[in-house]
Amino acid sequence: MSENAQQQEELFPWHLGVFDAHCHPTDCMPLVSAISNMKCRVLTVMSTRAQDQELVAQIAETYPLRDERVSAPAQVLPSFGWHPWFSHQIYDDGSVPEYQHVDTAEQDNLKISHYQAVLVPSPTDQEFLRSLPYPQPLSKFIAQTKEYLERYPTALVGEVGLDRSFRLPSAWSPGQEGVRDSGLTPGGREGRRLSPYRVRIEHQQMVLKSQLSLAAEMQRAVSVHGVQAHGAVFDTLRETWKGFEKEIISKRLWKRRGDAPGSDIDHCDDTLEEELSQGSKNFPPRVCLHSYSGPLEPLKQYLHPSVPAEVFFSFSSVINLTATASLKVADVIRAVPDDRLLIESDLHCAGGEMDQRLEEVARSICLIKGWTLEDGICQLGSNWTRFAFG
Ligand SMILES: [Zn+2]
């Protein structure tokens, strides 16, 4: 029997604790009650847009985090943030006057000029422009998110990020909106055709940066989405820790200083690290690159010993283990240090399929890493605990 077939026969050790690092069960509220019967221990539940922030808070009340070491019923760790797919719905009120103080006609003009400025190509289609919601001020959203983070002291910031490939959905066609599935939380695409419009990367970066600085201020972990924007995601994160890099001192230099460390200290690459700066920090302490689809190369940048944030890489069977993606991703998974790997379902409905997806990706990672299922699940569990709580 092959190693693969042998592993598939083995019972999955749910009792050791399996953690979903990124999912969206509030997109499908009628199925949320299925959380009670899930085998997964904690769901890290993301928010993305205006319509789901309060829903995430709600399910965190229904399935509160009690103790990540106990199973059944599954628990929810909430995460509050604004996804790049909805970044156009936010305006930088540092540079635009308040909408509330102007009359309706003027509000409409401001709305149109906002969307014409942040979308590419700049839309002239009046029907499409009319279909977009009034954008909300960034400061209001950040203040609201801060309140949620204060209310839930272990909550994360997310889902945030950058995406160069997505396009906005078109306006609902006549009659289509009336027959939409009312069980789905509004604001998603729901099968609408895609428009040609994308959100300018500079605008996405502005929304991302302000959320990263909130995560830094509150010292919370962040869940980051990056699609066709891996360089820009890294650059935006690097800006946050600029001036806080860990100093890399070679052993030779350390010896010259006369304070060479004992031989029991284990360091990578003949280097030693010490923190350059103390005190207040500008960067989020822990970052998860969710459903990491980037190439192998950027791993080195994120894992460089001078990077002061702890960066984790999370994988899902939905995005990462499709037939085309899985060959490439195996090399990436092999290269991620054992203690920086996370798993996620990235699904939008709670229930058995979430458990099944987590099992699939965990089994694949164990095979790729050459771990037994028991060792792998323990490793992934302790990684999640460190990512979430530090
Ligand atoms: Zn997501």
Side-chain angles (χ1 to χ4, degrees), residues 22 24 46 83 159 290 346:
H22 185 112
H24 300 270
M46 300 293 127
H83 195 288
E159 177 172 358
H290 110 85
D346 200 16

Side-chain angles (χ1 to χ4, degrees), residues 316-388:
S316 63
S317 70
V318 177
I319 306 281
N320 301 119
L321 298 180
T322 58
T324 44
S326 61
L327 285 172
K328 190 182 78 168
V329 85
D331 287 339
V332 176
I333 289 172
R334 233 171 264 123
V336 174
D338 296 356
D339 62 350
R340 302 291 186 95
L341 271 170
L342 296 171
I343 56 167
E344 62 179 63
S345 70
D346 200 16
L347 286 187
H348 299 261
C349 299
E353 197 189 342
M354 266 190 186
D355 281 340
Q356 192 193 320
R357 296 295 187 171
L358 289 167
E359 179 174 340
E360 275 169 19
V361 69
R363 282 182 184 274
S364 301
I365 287 179
C366 289
L367 270 179
I368 292 166
K369 283 287 199 182
W371 295 337
T372 64
L373 282 179
E374 276 75 15
D375 289 350
I377 294 307
C378 288
Q379 179 72 61
L380 292 167
S382 74
N383 295 353
W384 180 85
T385 306
R386 222 175 61 255
F387 163 64

